[in-house]
Amino acid sequence: MNTKLFISMICLALGVSFVHTSAIAQNTARKADTPAYNQQQIDVIKRMNTAFKTGQWKNLKENMTGDFYAFGIDSRLDSMSVDELVGYWTEARKSYSVKDMSEGYWNTISVKEGPTKGDWVFHWSDMTLRYPQADKDVWFPYHIAYKMEGNKAKRAYFYYDTNLIMKQLGYTQTPPIMPTEKE
């Protein structure tokens, strides 16, 4: 057998062995928890959605823990308690109404350990708001991750594109004025 071919085959075998061993050694992440579909918890969030859509704040609050907090509702605030959230939405309803809120997609997961330990409900959907003063409908997709405590929502993390809403209402964004090199 040719010496160069033999050495090449040995190097290739060692290289494959090294890559395979390194890949196995670096795979220390724990396995993802499997979804634990929980229809009761999804139904809680569906009741909250109905209460939000119709402005039935008492029904909304009945499905939240006393120490509930919402994150990502208003870019000016870090979080809102139950009463702050209801006050915010009550005030906001003076400028818009919920025209449509699709059923969307649902999933649940139960995380066994770590900083996100607990039961979660995930909801992906879209919404159309009616702004009568602007005579406009505004459509946007959203995602909300709810941390549950039993059959009540304890935390809600809202994700949606506020720029998309503002653009549909006719607002524009102007980048900050950058200083010139002479300054």
Side-chain angles (χ1 to χ4, degrees), residues 72-110:
I73 294 288
D74 186 324
S75 60
R76 299 168 296 175
L77 301 171
D78 173 64
S79 60
M80 292 184 201
S81 67
V82 176
D83 292 332
E84 291 167 332
L85 181 64
V86 167
Y88 176 83
W89 278 338
T90 300
E91 188 62 29
R93 289 299 171 87
K94 294 176 183 176
S95 60
Y96 70 77
S97 61
V98 179
K99 184 175 181 180
D100 185 46
M101 195 171 171
S102 71
E103 173 66 16
Y105 302 96
W106 299 88
N107 200 358
T108 63
I109 191 168
S110 183

Side-chain angles (χ1 to χ4, degrees), residues 26-95:
Q26 292 175 9
N27 189 7
T28 59
R30 67 178 179 84
K31 291 182 180 179
D33 294 318
T34 56
Y37 197 77
N38 189 324
Q39 187 61 49
Q40 288 180 322
Q41 290 180 338
I42 289 174
D43 289 343
V44 166
I45 304 306
K46 285 183 177 183
R47 286 194 300 272
M48 289 175 60
N49 281 359
T50 300
F52 166 78
K53 185 175 180 180
T54 60
Q56 300 297 317
W57 309 126
K58 181 180 178 223
N59 294 347
L60 183 78
K61 291 168 98 173
E62 288 174 354
N63 292 288
M64 300 172 169
T65 63
D67 62 345
F68 172 90
Y69 271 90
F71 301 86
I73 294 288
D74 186 324
S75 60
R76 299 168 296 175
L77 301 171
D78 173 64
S79 60
M80 292 184 201
S81 67
V82 176
D83 292 332
E84 291 167 332
L85 181 64
V86 167
Y88 176 83
W89 278 338
T90 300
E91 188 62 29
R93 289 299 171 87
K94 294 176 183 176
S95 60

Side-chain angles (χ1 to χ4, degrees), residues 178-183:
M178 301 305 288
T180 61
E181 290 196 29
K182 291 182 182 178
E183 295 181 291

Side-chain angles (χ1 to χ4, degrees), residues 75-169:
S75 60
R76 299 168 296 175
L77 301 171
D78 173 64
S79 60
M80 292 184 201
S81 67
V82 176
D83 292 332
E84 291 167 332
L85 181 64
V86 167
Y88 176 83
W89 278 338
T90 300
E91 188 62 29
R93 289 299 171 87
K94 294 176 183 176
S95 60
Y96 70 77
S97 61
V98 179
K99 184 175 181 180
D100 185 46
M101 195 171 171
S102 71
E103 173 66 16
Y105 302 96
W106 299 88
N107 200 358
T108 63
I109 191 168
S110 183
V111 179
K112 304 294 183 212
E113 58 187 39
T116 58
K117 180 181 178 179
D119 294 334
W120 292 84
V121 174
F122 301 114
H123 182 217
W124 298 265
S125 190
D126 56 77
M127 185 181 309
T128 303
L129 302 178
R130 176 73 184 154
Y131 286 83
Q133 291 178 331
D135 193 29
K136 293 188 182 215
D137 290 345
V138 173
W139 173 90
F140 59 98
Y142 66 88
H143 166 65
I144 308 172
Y146 295 93
K147 178 143 189 219
M148 305 300 288
E149 188 173 274
N151 284 327
K152 291 194 176 214
K154 182 175 181 69
R155 301 282 184 266
Y157 300 87
F158 291 77
Y159 303 94
Y160 60 96
D161 186 352
T162 55
N163 289 330
L164 178 61
I165 296 168
M166 301 308 263
K167 183 178 179 182
Q168 291 176 71
L169 289 171

